[in-house]
């Protein structure tokens, strides 16, 4: 396959025997039908790197057949070779190789001067239960968080509350940095760190502000990977790595020339990823892990992008025929 795009943006052509695609992502690939007419398997398996006890997934292989037209006697097709289900290096190989076209017709406008720098930890968490009676790890209730805040979904939507100035629905003090700093990827972390706070906190961004977010995965409750998806914007993936983010060394390795432009970024288990974008779309925009159970456990927040000065840079009013929720 030749990868030519991801999440709606072109990439430099990248030839691959396989791709790793995470929940919420899209890839555009070209397949040249240049083989001897026959039947050929296309196959996919689940990638999982969760620790023992959390590694619950379907370990079967799903298949389809690419079938050439014509008159021939098909042979029994062999299965394609796929990496092991927990091969982290293989899962990162495609992400590490993606590059924007960055040419005259498709410029790469990655922000170089940042007005807002954010550092967000993404964690699995747990709440204790009476007599260890819940179904999570060690009888706890499963949770998840960003910067140790497990999102509480309000009964009035945040967009409506923001537009009509309804107070008490959300707070606008989402922290720029985690409230507790520790060795995020250490193998043995205190159980106390697993307990998150709960809230409906968002971050307010000025129109056209340039934003950098470093997502840091933690090893709380064993840790796992998180595909983080941002509504309303695409962003440039300027860097990623395994282990704890080093603010002095890692930015020196950022790709600010031709980074891929996406809307869902894979944060590796016990690793980090950095994105940059321009907040040029006024409104309220959801950001969340695209693994549904992590989302339902609270790994989500929102950005409020304020209006700009000109009419085309301002949020439109609700339509008169908008149905109620």
């Amino acid at each position: 396959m030749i990868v030519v795009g991801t999440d709606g943006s072109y990439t430099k052509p990248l030839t691959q025997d396989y791709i790793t695609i995470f929940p919420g992502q899209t890839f555009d690939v070209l397949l040249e039908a240049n083989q001897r007419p026959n039947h050929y398997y296309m196959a996919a398996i689940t990638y999982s790197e969760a620790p023992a006890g959390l590694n619950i997934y379907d370990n079967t292989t799903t298949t389809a057949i690419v079938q050439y037209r014509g008159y021939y006697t098909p042979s029994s097709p062999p299965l394609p070779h796929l990496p092991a289900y927990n091969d982290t290096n293989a899962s990162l190989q495609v992400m590490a190789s993606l590059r924007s076209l960055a040419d005259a017709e498709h410029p790469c406008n990655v922000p170089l001067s940042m007005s807002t720098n954010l550092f967000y930890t993404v964690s699995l968490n747990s709440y204790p239960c009476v007599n260890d009676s819940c179904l999570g790890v060690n009888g706890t209730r499963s949770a998840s968080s960003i910067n140790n805040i497990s999102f509480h979904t309000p009964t009035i939507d945040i967009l409506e509350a923001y537009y009509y100035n309804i107070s008490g629905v959300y707070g606008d003090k989402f922290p720029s940095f985690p409230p507790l700093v520790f060795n995020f990827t250490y193998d043995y972390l205190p159980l106390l760190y697993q307990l998150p706070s709960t809230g409906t906190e968002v971050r307010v961004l000025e129109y056209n502000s340039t934003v950098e977010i470093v997502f840091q995965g933690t090893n709380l409750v064993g840790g796992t990977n998180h595909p983080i998806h941002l509504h309303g914007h695409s962003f440039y993936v300027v860097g990623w790595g395994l282990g704890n983010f080093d603010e002095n060394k890692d930015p020196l390795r950022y790709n600010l020339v031709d980074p891929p432009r996406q809307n869902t970024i894979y944060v590796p288990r016990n690793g980090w990823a950095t994105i940059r974008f321009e907040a040029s779309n006024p409104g309220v925009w959801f950001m969340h892990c695209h693994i549904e159970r992590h989302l339902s456990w609270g790994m989500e927040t929102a950005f409020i992008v304020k209006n700009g000065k000109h009419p085309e840079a301002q949020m439109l009013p609700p339509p008169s025929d908008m149905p109620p929720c």
Side-chain angles (χ1 to χ4, degrees):
M1 294 177 290
I2 303 175
V3 178
V4 295
T6 176
D7 288 353
S9 295
Y10 286 119
T11 63
K12 289 183 173 69
L14 175 66
T15 301
Q16 287 290 131
D17 290 330
Y18 68 90
I19 60 171
T20 309
I21 184 168
F22 292 91
Q25 289 186 325
T26 65
F27 277 85
D28 294 288
V29 302
L30 304 180
L31 174 67
E32 186 175 0
N34 58 1
Q35 301 299 301
R36 180 174 60 85
N38 206 340
H39 290 180
Y40 295 90
Y41 269 125
M42 179 183 297
I45 60 173
T46 297
Y47 166 67
S48 179
E49 58 179 351
L54 294 177
N55 212 354
I56 303 169
Y57 70 101
D58 185 343
N59 65 353
T60 58
T61 300
T62 184
T63 58
I65 290 181
V66 177
Q67 178 178 319
Y68 279 72
R69 290 197 179 110
Y71 298 96
Y72 57 89
T73 301
S75 59
S76 178
L79 276 173
H81 173 73
L82 291 168
Y85 77 92
N86 59 352
D87 190 337
T88 296
N89 289 332
S91 75
L92 290 168
Q93 193 267 333
V94 177
M95 183 174 81
S97 304
L98 291 174
R99 299 289 185 272
S100 288
L101 283 179
D103 57 22
E105 293 186 10
H106 309 90
C108 185
N109 298 314
V110 55
L112 301 178
S113 178
M114 311 312 300
S115 60
T116 305
N117 288 277
L118 307 173
F119 187 95
Y120 285 178
T121 54
V122 286
S123 305
L124 297 181
N125 302 94
S126 64
Y127 291 111
C129 296
V130 176
N131 297 324
D132 298 332
S133 57
C134 293
L135 299 179
V137 177
N138 298 323
T140 61
R141 180 163 66 88
S142 297
S144 63
S145 66
I146 301 176
N147 273 0
N148 206 48
I149 298 177
S150 187
F151 192 82
H152 175 73
T153 303
T155 55
I156 299 175
D157 69 79
I158 296 174
L159 175 62
E160 182 180 358
Y162 174 64
Y163 190 85
Y164 291 114
N165 294 311
I166 303 172
S167 61
V169 176
Y170 65 89
D172 59 4
K173 300 296 189 293
F174 194 92
S176 303
F177 205 76
L180 181 64
V181 178
F182 53 94
N183 183 352
F184 300 118
T185 60
Y186 189 60
D187 285 336
Y188 304 101
L189 295 170
L191 290 178
L192 180 64
Y193 291 1
Q194 295 183 12
L195 183 65
S197 61
T198 302
T200 309
E201 294 292 333
V202 306
R203 178 81 188 199
V204 178
L205 299 173
E206 296 292 332
Y207 179 75
N208 266 352
S209 58
T210 51
V211 184
E212 176 179 297
I213 309 177
V214 177
F215 295 105
Q216 173 69 60
T218 78
N219 202 33
L220 291 172
V221 197
T224 187
N225 59 77
H226 302 289
I228 302 296
H229 175 64
L230 174 62
H231 291 213
H233 298 78
S234 292
F235 48 71
Y236 291 99
V237 182
V238 298
W240 64 271
L242 299 176
N244 291 318
F245 176 77
D246 188 321
E247 62 179 344
N248 296 314
K249 296 180 180 179
D250 289 326
L252 301 177
R253 301 188 294 114
Y254 282 174
N255 176 9
L256 302 178
V257 178
D258 58 354
R261 192 166 185 256
Q262 299 180 274
N263 58 43
T264 304
I265 177 59
Y266 160 60
V267 182
R269 178 176 180 247
N270 291 343
W272 58 272
T274 302
I275 67 170
R276 289 185 175 187
F277 66 96
E278 187 177 86
S280 56
N281 192 6
V284 178
W285 301 110
F286 197 33
M287 187 179 76
H288 60 94
C289 180
H290 228 298
I291 295 175
E292 286 299 308
R293 62 178 179 177
H294 296 176
L295 167 61
S296 69
W297 292 346
M299 191 175 291
E300 53 193 293
T301 184
F303 289 105
I304 294 178
V305 179
K306 296 167 70 174
N307 282 338
K309 295 181 179 179
H310 304 291
E312 64 272 16
Q314 296 179 2
M315 187 168 52
L316 294 173
S320 58
D321 59 345
M322 186 175 75
C325 293

